[in-house]
């Protein structure tokens, strides 16, 4: 983040603590965001479907007080504490929102990362606005393409025939059986499915309305940013950090398409960066130090 951007936001440059703030991007869209640290390199992570900045709370804690990095994360439109807009619930618009957010905060020298369907948002940004501001790019248990012939052997979320019902669960589930869908979603994301953890993840998802959930998932199934990701190989440092079960598929894809990418299949779950922050942050720091 540029110094004048911090000053404009009324933040004392000597303060090292993390803080929450809002920025108005348009008449109908105010974005809630959180930031920690005051370094010249910005780490900007975008949460996934129906999630918010809360999922990155442990990364915010890690970078609090950092003078090397500024960690930033925000709630996409319709999610968390950001505006519940009538439209714009597709990832091409999320990419445009991301660009507006970057410009509003005057962010530069960015390590951009997306978790889950947040990967669609950051790849949409690259597709529309390029990589000029980027210093690195991170896929956090995300995929460059949403749908393929077989989601057990391809780096995609859904199979075309939806044989496992996964696509229908996240599209029609919010509309037909919202409470059960949210509980099932929370259970799927976590390795430690204690009642406390399920309640925490569910409470975040509850802040996104059912129509927004359904639209985002349905629209997201058409996304294919394979070419955008492969084009960055050798130009922008890449890190794919995914859950263990996805390791073989992602490693095979990376070897064939982005051989310069760093692949780490060490997360214990989809929310592995929250459940095992020490392990995740160690992999992230190795990547960051390699860039520097």
């Amino acid at each position: 983040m540029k110094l004048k951007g911090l000053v404009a936001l009324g933040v004392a440059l000597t303060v090292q603590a993390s803080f929450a703030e809002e920025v108005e991007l348009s008449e109908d869209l105010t974005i809630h965001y959180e930031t920690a640290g005051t370094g010249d390199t910005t780490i900007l992570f975008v949460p996934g479907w129906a999630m918010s900045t809360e999922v990155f709370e442990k990364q915010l804690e890690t970078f609090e007080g950092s003078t090397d990095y500024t960690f930033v994360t925000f709630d996409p439109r319709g999610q968390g504490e950001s505006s519940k807009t009538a439209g714009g619930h597709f990832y091409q618009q999320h990419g445009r929102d991301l660009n507006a957010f970057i410009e509003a905060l005057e962010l530069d020298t960015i390590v951009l990362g997306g978790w889950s369907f947040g990967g669609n948002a950051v790849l949409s940004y690259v597709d529309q606005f390029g990589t000029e501001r980027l210093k690195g790019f991170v896929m956090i248990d995300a995929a460059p393409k949403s749908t393929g012939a077989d989601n057990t052997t391809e780096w995609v979320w859904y199979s075309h025939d939806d044989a496992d019902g996964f696509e229908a669960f996240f599209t029609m589930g919010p509309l037909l059986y919202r409470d059960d869908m949210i509980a099932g979603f929370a259970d799927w994301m976590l390795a430690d499915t204690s009642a406390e953890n399920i309640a925490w993840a569910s409470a975040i998802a509850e802040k996104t309305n059912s129509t927004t959930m359904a639209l985002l998932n349905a629209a997201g199934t058409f996304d294919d940013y394979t070419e955008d990701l492969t084009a960055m190989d050798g130009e922008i440092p890449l890190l794919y950090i995914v859950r263990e079960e996805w390791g073989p598929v992602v490693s095979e894809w990376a070897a064939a398409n982005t051989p310069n990418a760093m692949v780490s299949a060490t997360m214990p779950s989809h929310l592995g960066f929250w459940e095992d922050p020490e392990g995740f942050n160690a992999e992230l720091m190795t990547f960051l130090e390699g860039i520097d």
Side-chain angles (χ1 to χ4, degrees):
M1 183 182 292
K2 293 182 179 179
L3 295 184
K4 70 176 183 178
L6 283 168
V7 172
L9 292 170
V11 181
L13 299 181
T14 56
V15 173
Q16 300 291 308
S18 61
F19 68 92
E21 187 60 272
E22 292 184 342
V23 59
E24 184 177 320
L25 299 185
S26 65
E27 289 185 0
D28 69 338
L29 181 59
T30 297
I31 291 291
H32 168 89
Y33 69 96
E34 297 189 47
T35 183
T38 58
D40 291 335
T41 296
T42 299
I43 304 167
L44 175 54
F45 279 2
V46 180
W49 183 82
M51 293 283 101
S52 74
T53 62
E54 293 173 77
V55 298
F56 292 120
E57 62 184 11
K58 297 180 181 180
Q59 283 65 51
L60 285 161
E61 292 172 3
T62 296
F63 288 98
E64 186 174 313
S66 174
T67 56
D68 294 317
Y69 303 101
T70 300
F71 185 90
V72 182
T73 183
F74 68 92
D75 297 346
R77 68 166 64 218
Q79 299 175 203
E81 302 301 325
S82 290
S83 299
K84 306 303 186 282
T85 58
H89 306 303
F90 54 99
Y91 288 100
Q92 290 78 9
Q93 182 59 50
H94 278 215
R96 294 194 281 271
D97 292 345
L98 176 54
N99 182 64
F101 179 79
I102 288 170
E103 291 188 344
L105 269 65
E106 300 183 351
L107 303 179
D108 207 348
T109 317
I110 301 168
V111 176
L112 181 61
W115 167 57
S116 196
F117 258 15
N120 295 44
V122 295
L123 283 168
S124 170
Y125 167 84
V126 169
D127 179 66
Q128 297 178 82
F129 302 102
T131 60
E132 182 179 355
R133 288 187 168 101
L134 303 189
K135 184 178 181 179
F137 191 85
V138 187
M139 296 283 281
I140 309 166
D141 216 45
K145 180 181 178 182
S146 296
T147 308
D150 185 351
N151 63 356
T152 65
T153 59
E154 298 177 58
W155 191 15
V156 298
W157 289 113
Y158 305 123
S159 298
H160 288 304
D161 63 1
D162 199 29
D164 57 6
F166 204 41
E167 181 182 347
F169 177 79
F170 286 106
T171 301
M172 296 306 297
L175 304 175
L176 299 176
Y177 43 90
R178 176 183 171 87
D179 291 345
D180 288 343
M181 184 282 302
I182 288 176
F185 175 45
D187 182 84
W188 173 78
M189 288 193 291
L190 293 157
D192 178 1
T193 55
S194 66
E196 180 181 6
N197 284 355
I198 294 292
W200 172 80
S202 297
I204 298 173
E206 288 286 357
K207 296 178 182 179
T208 303
N209 71 53
S210 297
T211 302
T212 297
M213 286 180 173
L215 284 170
L216 279 171
N217 195 73
T221 62
F222 294 97
D223 291 345
D224 182 355
Y225 294 110
T226 303
E227 292 184 3
D228 298 285
L229 186 56
T230 57
M232 283 190 276
D233 189 54
E235 302 295 327
I236 302 293
L238 301 173
L239 168 63
Y240 310 149
I241 183 162
V242 300
R243 61 200 135 92
E244 296 169 1
E245 65 189 79
W246 233 1
V249 169
V250 176
S251 295
E252 182 179 355
W253 187 96
N257 295 280
T258 54
N260 294 295
M262 175 181 171
V263 180
S264 173
T266 54
M267 294 206 305
S269 65
H270 190 52
L271 265 168
F273 55 88
W274 183 81
E275 292 196 272
D276 178 26
E278 292 81 8
F280 176 87
N281 293 341
E283 295 288 343
L284 177 60
M285 287 308 301
T286 297
F287 177 69
L288 294 172
E289 289 165 1
I291 294 174
D292 292 336

